[in-house]
Amino acid sequence: MKYSFLVILLFFLQNETFAQWDKNETPTYTELIELCRSFSKEHSEIQLFEMGISDYGLTIYLFVINGDKDSLSTFKKARDGTTILANNAIHPGEPDGINAMLLWTKEWINKGKPTKGMPVLAFIPAYNVGGMMNRSGTSRANQDGPAEYGFRGNANNLDLNRDFIKMDSKNAFVFAKIFHGLDPDVFIDNHVTNGADYQYVLTLISSLKERLGPSMEEATYGKMIPALKKQLKKREIDLIPYIDLVKETPDSGIVAFNDLPRYAMGYGSLFHAFSFTVETHMLKPFPERVQATKAFLEEMIQYTKENAELIEKARREAKNYYQNEAYYFHHYEINSAKKDSLLFKGFEAKYKPSEVTGLSRLYYDRSSPYEKYVPHYNSHTAADSARIPKYYIVGGQAKEVIERLRANDVKMRRMTKDSMITVTCQKIIDFKNGTYPYENHYLHGETKVELLEKKYTLKPGDYLITAKQEKAFFIHSVLFPQAEDSYFSWNFFDSYMDEKEYFSPYVFEDIAAKLLKEHPDWRKELEEKKADEPEFAKNQWAQLYYIYKKSPYFEPTYRIIPVYLVY
């Protein structure tokens, strides 16, 4: 009798707990993990794995439904079969995915835990642990609920949704362990969007179609997204592309978001996962946003069940496609010549005097809804490309780079003895820096590279990396320095950008004079430059340095990064 009472009490308390996650509250990190732990204890179909320590010092967990008997067999089942990975609370102030996960799990249990044909379903319950612990109800000034939530920055005040290539956080290494351990077929990152006001609850970022392999582009845009839109429409939920505006209001047009590899879904796309960012609308009530997030998850699970073979086939073909490409394309820019239109449900944007400043201010008039076509710029063109080598060589001294390549499951061969080969060096000719720090870095851009063929002695500890492997797209994205999110762009090779030796002008004057006599063509070039550039003609140091850079005294390794290409 006592046992029956405890069971009834536990059932009552659990259902009372779950009732609040359908309202205007979201659990703390401790409450969330306890709920996940109770699920895993009570249901053999659910597992909770400790995956590693976050920057905050607490554990990052993985919550798996429909796995196998232990972690090894579960991860093998995920890699061999069809798997969905959903990431929650990368920005803990946007906790819709947390509540959606809890409510979906509870409903699934109440339905009898059906697993027939179901993919492995894995959740990171809350990725940004430090942000979860920094809790308030005021850090999201634009957002309608919940009552309290976490903070965007992690324990080191990093935005973890900019950290997937540079991997400044412990969290990023844990994420890579999870991601490559599962090799998910579908990846979902759950968010809440800032921006304009409009009628939609649910918006979606999908991978830039030009960056996808042909099989993935067709499967994503030709089949998966139209099917999801159709099913969600039956539930009276419109699924619309993420509202990234050309100017201040939707009337100016909407731009397809460029999911660079620094972002979670851009990172997922590098490994040919069907990657999506769910962005619910900040101005809609929290319970409504949670239900929309849950509805998207439900429809994705159903679509994956019904189309597992199509999904797996598209991924296999994409992995093969990127192993056989001749060029790596990057710096995708909007192609305004291919403007489309999008039927959009918005509110009239109007202006009135501000009660604060007295100046004109924007507001959206919810008493004036509209449905009309707006410009939609959803085509991109690559502004740059680089010829893909057969192999890359990374100098063993680049330990942080090697650590990150290894964390991302890149196949590498460590050299054990000296070997002389011909390589193509990548010399940085020019680059620009940001004016202010961006996520703990001064990100490089507009990088210009000169390719130089030289003899190079492979030394023990260097790594040889074949471009013909499944991780090829990731490798190109990080080892070509001109790529937007390359390791060079994120400052891993800055020590190679400054000279280590100089000259004293009064000493080098005599050496320069001798060199000009030996190289009359240098003298001719110098005089032409002086004639063309008056400021140069008046600058003694600049003229001596011009000769110094041509001379054998100038350091041969200046601005050559230890990433070599073998064609």
Side-chain angles (χ1 to χ4, degrees):
M1 192 72 180
K2 188 183 292 184
Y3 175 77
S4 298
F5 172 76
L6 289 174
V7 170
I8 292 167
L9 179 62
L10 179 63
F11 178 82
F12 174 77
L13 290 174
Q14 191 178 67
N15 279 279
E16 280 295 298
T17 298
F18 274 89
Q20 66 182 314
W21 307 141
D22 201 19
K23 295 178 181 175
N24 198 36
E25 296 181 43
T26 191
T28 66
Y29 189 68
T30 302
E31 289 170 336
L32 173 61
I33 299 308
E34 281 306 309
L35 285 165
C36 292
R37 188 172 285 121
S38 69
F39 277 136
S40 67
K41 285 179 179 178
E42 293 167 23
H43 305 282
S44 60
E45 300 87 351
I46 300 175
Q47 296 160 302
L48 186 67
F49 299 120
E50 296 186 10
M51 298 305 300
I53 301 299
S54 69
D55 285 344
Y56 189 83
L58 293 177
T59 300
I60 296 172
Y61 289 89
L62 186 67
F63 183 71
V64 181
I65 298 172
N66 194 30
D68 210 336
K69 59 182 182 296
D70 55 33
S71 58
L72 285 176
S73 56
T74 290
F75 276 82
K76 185 177 187 305
K77 179 181 178 181
R79 289 191 302 272
D80 292 346
T82 309
T83 301
I84 297 173
L85 171 64
N87 188 37
N88 294 330
I90 193 170
H91 297 150
E94 307 167 20
D96 301 18
I98 292 174
N99 287 47
M101 175 193 76
L102 293 173
L103 292 171
W104 184 91
T105 304
K106 185 63 178 174
E107 287 184 13
W108 176 75
I109 292 168
N110 290 340
K111 289 175 183 175
K113 301 181 287 189
T115 58
K116 185 177 180 180
M118 180 181 167
V120 174
L121 182 57
F123 296 92
I124 300 176
Y127 175 54
N128 183 352
V129 181
M132 286 288 288
M133 303 303 288
N134 185 4
R135 194 170 166 93
S136 76
T138 55
S139 63
R140 296 276 293 177
N142 298 331
Q143 189 168 290
D144 186 355
E148 286 190 353
Y149 41 79
F151 182 65
R152 190 180 188 91
N154 83 331
N156 290 327
N157 205 38
L158 294 172
D159 185 335
L160 294 180
N161 203 27
R162 312 290 186 272
D163 194 44
F164 285 89
I165 297 299
K166 60 189 177 70
M167 298 177 76
D168 285 342
S169 64
K170 289 182 179 179
N171 301 56
F173 282 89
V174 176
F175 187 93
K177 179 182 177 182
I178 293 169
F179 191 91
H180 296 294
L182 295 169
D183 187 22
D185 300 283
V186 176
F187 172 64
I188 303 167
D189 199 31
N190 288 314
H191 287 254
V192 181
T193 184
N194 290 302
D197 196 4
Y198 41 79
Q199 298 178 41
Y200 304 99
V201 181
L202 184 64
T203 72
L204 185 71
I205 305 176
S206 47
S207 299
L208 209 67
K209 62 180 184 291
E210 292 83 3
R211 202 180 276 125
L212 295 172
S215 61
M216 291 286 290
E217 180 184 353
E218 169 57 23
T220 301
Y221 288 93
K223 295 176 181 174
M224 183 181 283
I225 292 177
L228 292 170
K229 288 176 72 172
K230 181 180 178 182
Q231 291 305 115
L232 286 164
K233 189 72 173 177
K234 291 178 181 177
R235 302 169 70 153
E236 299 184 348
I237 298 174
D238 289 314
L239 181 64
I240 191 168
Y242 175 69
I243 313 302
D244 193 10
L245 301 178
V246 174
K247 293 181 182 176
E248 190 175 30
T249 67
D251 288 347
S252 65
I254 295 167
V255 177
F257 184 80
N258 187 354
D259 60 323
L260 291 170
R262 70 191 64 170
Y263 304 114
M265 66 164 292
Y267 171 86
S269 295
L270 292 182
F271 304 101
H272 314 293
F274 286 85
S275 295
F276 302 97
T277 299
V278 171
E279 295 270 7
T280 54
H281 189 221
M282 60 182 181
L283 296 178
K284 303 301 184 289
F286 179 59
E288 193 176 340
R289 301 198 318 259
V290 169
Q291 289 299 325
T293 303
K294 184 165 84 62
F296 181 86
L297 176 65
E298 287 168 347
E299 295 304 336
M300 181 61 82
I301 293 169
Q302 186 62 31
Y303 183 86
T304 304
K305 283 172 63 175
E306 295 171 359
N307 297 276
E309 188 176 337
L310 180 149
I311 289 169
E312 297 281 357
K313 183 173 183 289
R315 292 194 71 214
R316 284 195 303 272
E317 290 179 5
K319 289 176 181 180
N320 185 61
Y321 176 82
Y322 272 103
Q323 290 184 60
N324 293 286
E325 280 286 85
Y327 286 86
Y328 168 71
F329 296 94
H330 56 97
H331 282 94
Y332 282 88
E333 298 173 349
I334 285 290
N335 186 343
S336 56
K338 289 189 175 180
K339 180 177 69 175
D340 202 347
S341 62
L342 181 70
L343 186 60
F344 183 76
K345 297 177 182 179
F347 301 112
E348 289 292 342
K350 298 179 180 179
Y351 295 85
K352 63 183 178 181
S354 165
E355 294 180 15
V356 179
T357 66
L359 303 174
S360 179
R361 55 147 290 190
L362 168 69
Y363 75 102
Y364 289 91
D365 187 352
R366 289 197 170 188
S367 67
S368 299
Y370 67 75
E371 185 173 349
K372 64 183 180 183
Y373 285 96
V374 299
H376 187 208
Y377 300 90
N378 62 350
S379 293
H380 289 71
T381 303
D384 296 293
S385 65
R387 187 161 70 96
I388 294 171
K390 292 179 181 177
Y391 298 95
Y392 296 88
I393 296 168
V394 177
Q397 68 272 27
K399 295 188 185 304
E400 289 185 323
V401 167
I402 292 165
E403 180 186 23
R404 283 156 178 77
L405 292 171
R406 187 178 288 117
N408 283 287
D409 203 28
V410 172
K411 292 179 182 176
M412 303 182 290
R413 179 181 158 204
R414 188 178 185 276
M415 297 294 101
T416 57
K417 59 182 180 180
D418 290 344
S419 178
M420 177 74 77
I421 62 170
T422 300
V423 301
T424 298
C425 301
Q426 300 184 97
K427 183 173 184 177
I428 310 301
I429 301 302
D430 194 20
F431 60 94
K432 298 289 189 295
N433 278 327
T435 307
Y436 296 98
Y438 174 71
E439 293 303 317
N440 205 35
H441 291 255
Y442 283 86
L443 190 64
H444 298 323
E446 299 179 45
T447 303
K448 302 290 187 293
V449 177
E450 181 182 2
L451 300 180
L452 305 170
E453 192 173 282
K454 290 188 176 183
K455 293 288 186 183
Y456 174 77
T457 302
L458 272 168
K459 64 184 185 298
D462 288 352
Y463 283 84
L464 186 68
I465 302 170
T466 177
K468 208 169 181 63
Q469 61 174 289
E470 285 193 358
K471 305 300 189 292
F473 197 21
F474 170 80
I475 295 166
H476 307 326
S477 300
V478 296
L479 294 186
F480 279 125
Q482 59 271 48
E484 300 99 308
D485 278 335
S486 69
Y487 290 139
F488 173 78
S489 295
W490 284 110
N491 309 122
F492 285 89
F493 297 112
D494 281 8
S495 62
Y496 295 87
M497 295 303 105
D498 58 312
E499 293 175 54
K500 301 302 184 257
E501 296 285 0
Y502 287 93
F503 60 84
S504 296
Y506 81 94
V507 176
F508 194 67
E509 279 279 0
D510 296 330
I511 297 172
K514 181 173 181 291
L515 287 167
L516 290 177
K517 287 177 184 177
E518 294 172 354
H519 300 274
D521 54 325
W522 292 8
R523 167 66 77 181
K524 183 172 180 290
E525 291 172 12
L526 178 67
E527 295 303 326
E528 287 174 353
K529 189 171 176 65
K530 286 163 65 176
D532 292 341
E533 302 175 26
E535 291 302 315
F536 178 78
K538 293 186 285 186
N539 190 322
Q540 179 199 30
W541 169 265
Q543 292 180 54
L544 289 173
Y545 187 70
Y546 182 80
I547 302 304
Y548 176 67
K549 284 187 73 175
K550 289 176 170 289
S551 77
Y553 300 98
F554 187 75
E555 56 200 73
T557 58
Y558 175 55
R559 290 200 171 187
I560 294 177
I561 64 172
V563 178
Y564 310 100
L565 315 175
V566 180
Y567 288 100

